[in-house]
Amino acid sequence: MTRTPLIAGNWKMHKTIAEAEAFIQALLPRVAAARSDVAICPPFTALGAMVDSARGSGVHVYAQNVHEAGSGAFTGEVSPPMLVELDVHGAIVGHSERRQLFGETDRALQAKVPALLDAGLVPILCVGETEEEREAEQTQRKLRQQVREALAKVDDARLADVVIAYEPIWAIGTGKVATPEQAQDAIAFVRALVNDRSRAAGDAVRVLYGGSVKPDNAAELLALPDVDGALVGGASLDAESFAAIVAAA
Ligand code: PEP
């Protein structure tokens, strides 16, 4: 099974439209020959501008969150059809910052993931354990719960259309990267959870690593057999360092 790697940059709450424009103009020539899929995940305000600027380049644009409903009385939220109208490719869901700071639950993800798929959008579902959970040897228990719950309402036939990002919370924005063994073990475990639902989907689903990926550690992580790319935070804010990670894939 060949899985095309995906390198996705999560900008979080960084970059105005003007800053995003400067970034994309610097990025596009640097990733023109990329053999992996490349995506940026700007804030909502810059999505339309980035879709327009990246059109025809092969670089996809994802949102960082979405609401599961098509429309309704949900102040401050954005729906899948609104992203489709912008020509956005997909959305990150379940990022640990959304879970910890904004109360996003596995139950909400159970609705968000199928809502994205039904709208023709690609979900990047984030899962991962805290440092305490790893020390208590609860990593697999946490991953099992997060993956099973978030995918519970996805048909087996659509499972491989979801991208899963394994992001140990202790590695996000800390400079503390998982060892290759930790990343490989956790990602193989995530794949096995999908395999439990459908052998074909488990073989085809892309599972990314996220957590302090930088140009100098990317190649080692991306060479691991079950790692199908990276979700990159801090290092995705600079076009040169993000392009170096793309080149490592
Ligand atoms: C992230 O926020 O998804 C992330 C992986 O951040 P960083 O690369 O900065 O650790």
Side-chain angles (χ1 to χ4, degrees):
M1 167 60 62
T2 47
R3 298 180 296 263
T4 306
L6 167 63
I7 308 299
N10 173 18
W11 292 0
K12 313 192 185 196
M13 197 172 72
H14 293 288
K15 295 195 191 294
T16 62
I17 295 174
E19 289 163 348
E21 286 291 2
F23 173 95
I24 196 87
Q25 297 314 327
L27 180 72
L28 292 182
R30 289 177 161 86
V31 298
R35 280 180 294 170
S36 57
D37 289 347
V38 180
I40 52 170
C41 313
F44 283 125
T45 48
L47 285 175
M50 289 305 93
V51 168
D52 288 343
S53 296
R55 208 179 295 283
S57 70
V59 173
H60 288 145
V61 179
Y62 285 64
Q64 298 174 17
N65 184 29
V66 71
H67 192 276
E68 62 270 26
S71 63
F74 302 109
T75 301
E77 294 291 313
V78 168
S79 73
M82 293 168 184
L83 298 181
V84 169
E85 185 182 43
L86 284 179
D87 228 354
V88 160
H89 199 74
I92 299 173
V93 286
H95 190 280
S96 62
E97 287 154 15
R98 300 253 13 127
R99 292 178 190 259
Q100 291 184 325
L101 304 173
F102 302 101
E104 185 160 45
T105 60
D106 288 325
R107 182 54 60 89
L109 294 166
Q110 219 170 72
K112 288 186 181 198
V113 175
L116 284 167
L117 292 170
D118 289 349
L121 296 163
V122 177
I124 300 180
L125 167 68
C126 300
V127 296
E129 81 287 0
T130 63
E131 191 152 37
E132 296 70 40
E133 287 163 339
R134 175 159 284 273
E135 280 167 5
E137 299 185 0
Q138 293 294 309
T139 299
Q140 292 196 347
R141 187 199 58 77
K142 179 74 172 290
L143 295 177
R144 187 181 299 112
Q145 177 203 321
Q146 289 185 324
V147 171
R148 281 195 183 157
E149 287 218 27
L151 299 183
K153 296 197 172 142
V154 177
D155 290 342
D156 286 359
R158 298 299 313 273
L159 282 173
D161 298 328
V162 179
V163 174
I164 304 176
Y166 166 63
E167 298 207 303
I169 295 168
W170 47 270
I172 295 180
T174 58
K176 225 191 211 183
V177 68
T179 65
E181 192 186 359
Q182 288 170 329
Q184 169 58 29
D185 285 356
I187 287 177
F189 182 73
V190 167
R191 187 179 308 290
L193 292 169
V194 181
N195 262 318
D196 287 346
R197 291 271 311 270
S198 153
R199 181 89 217 170
D203 291 346
V205 72
R206 290 189 290 183
V207 189
L208 317 183
Y209 169 78
S212 296
V213 175
K214 308 281 179 225
D216 62 359
N217 60 27
E220 188 178 29
L221 290 160
L222 294 169
L224 297 167
D226 280 290
V227 175
D228 302 318
L231 183 56
V232 186
S236 75
L237 294 172
D238 175 73
E240 205 169 314
S241 75
F242 187 55
I245 294 169
V246 172

